[in-house]
Amino acid sequence: AQTVTQSQPEMSVQEAETVTLSCTYDTSESDYYLFWYKQPPSRQMILVIRQEAYKQQNATENRFSVNFQKAAKSFSLKISDSQLGDAAMYFCASFASTNKLIFGTGTLLAVQP
Amino acid sequence: DSGVTQTPKHLITATGQRVTLRCSPRSGDLSVYWYQQSLDQGLQFLIQYYNGEERAKGNILERFSAQQFPDLHSELNLSSLELGDSALYFCASSVGLANEQFFGPGTRLTVL
């Protein structure tokens, strides 16, 4: 079975600083994908970044990057130069042959001006 | 805007009633997924359709059913509603079976 764990219910960061959100997962599959989704107060689910398990290179999207440690089953999200608009709930998710996204419980990120 | 549309945005109904939530995927996407987000259960996968066929099922109650039509839009039917069914229901779509999913804005269901 797939599981996703986010151990940080809340995090806070100063504007322009860097913050890292943690995520660990468990799967018996060899072929899987990992995602970070952002859910702002509007409740819209927005895809932030995607990582294919077979790729060793960490994914990067502008100010967002991941640290994918396959052996440790860890998939953390780093947000650089944090902006007020980054304040949101962030969900880590995995996807494998079961054809469904398994979500963690989320990390609520506050950005302090 | 993800390109996925969901109607209605809000729905208020009473226990025991039946409602239908509608989803139109992004142009070209063949897969449609339904998720439920509630305070106590978090984000949970309900069901997936690919080009009209059911491909995966999650913890979907027997009172719930879904289908995907030939034009690829999908409907989620919820019947014999209970207070605990109050939640945000998301539809997501993807091109294939293993591509990133793009979420609609959700339908907020309130059961009184």
Side-chain angles (χ1 to χ4, degrees):
Chain A
Q2 291 173 253
T3 60
V4 176
T5 303
Q6 293 178 252
S7 58
Q8 305 156 314
E10 298 182 14
M11 293 279 287
S12 182
V13 63
Q14 291 292 129
E15 201 175 359
E17 297 296 309
T18 295
V19 65
T20 298
L21 308 184
S22 301
C23 172
T24 58
Y25 63 93
D26 195 14
T27 180
S28 57
E29 310 254 358
S30 58
D31 187 17
Y32 56 92
Y33 303 80
L34 298 167
F35 302 89
W36 279 96
Y37 280 88
K38 167 185 177 181
Q39 188 176 40
S42 67
R43 309 294 273 176
Q44 174 77 48
M45 292 289 288
I46 302 165
L47 177 65
V48 175
I49 201 163
R50 159 194 166 120
Q51 175 79 44
E52 291 88 344
Y54 63 86
K55 288 187 177 178
Q56 292 186 341
Q57 188 172 3
N58 289 325
T60 299
E61 288 288 340
N62 300 313
R63 299 182 294 106
F64 298 86
S65 61
V66 298
N67 184 4
F68 175 45
Q69 301 290 324
K70 192 171 183 178
K73 293 184 177 177
S74 170
F75 182 61
S76 60
L77 175 70
K78 186 171 85 170
I79 306 174
S80 305
D81 185 26
S82 297
Q83 300 174 1
L84 294 177
D86 295 333
M89 182 74 86
Y90 286 81
F91 291 96
C92 178
S94 70
F95 182 94
S97 64
T98 52
N99 287 346
K100 59 186 178 183
L101 277 171
I102 304 296
F103 287 92
T105 51
T107 296
L108 183 61
L109 177 66
V111 180
Q112 307 299 332
Chain B
D1 186 357
S2 67
V4 180
T5 61
Q6 288 187 250
T7 56
K9 286 187 178 179
H10 302 279
L11 201 47
I12 301 174
T13 188
T15 54
Q17 295 298 304
R18 172 190 169 95
V19 297
T20 297
L21 313 183
R22 183 189 168 101
C23 167
S24 292
R26 295 187 316 159
S27 177
D29 284 1
L30 299 178
S31 273
V32 169
Y33 305 78
W34 286 97
Y35 294 88
Q36 179 194 59
Q37 185 176 31
S38 61
L39 284 174
D40 54 345
Q41 299 285 342
L43 262 164
Q44 288 209 318
F45 167 76
L46 295 178
I47 198 164
Q48 182 221 356
Y49 281 83
Y50 177 77
N51 204 20
E53 291 188 8
E54 182 185 306
R55 293 302 294 263
K57 218 166 184 176
N59 296 325
I60 187 167
L61 299 171
E62 286 194 10
R63 301 183 285 108
F64 296 2
S65 65
Q67 55 184 324
Q68 186 179 27
F69 294 87
D71 66 352
L72 301 178
H73 91 271
S74 178
E75 292 181 356
L76 178 67
N77 300 296
L78 316 176
S79 61
S80 301
L81 285 167
E82 302 175 359
L83 296 177
D85 297 328
S86 295
L88 188 55
Y89 290 85
F90 284 108
C91 168
S93 74
S94 66
V95 171
L97 294 173
N99 301 87
E100 55 259 46
Q101 297 176 26
F102 294 89
F103 282 72
T107 292
R108 166 75 67 186
L109 174 66
T110 302
V111 183
L112 300 175

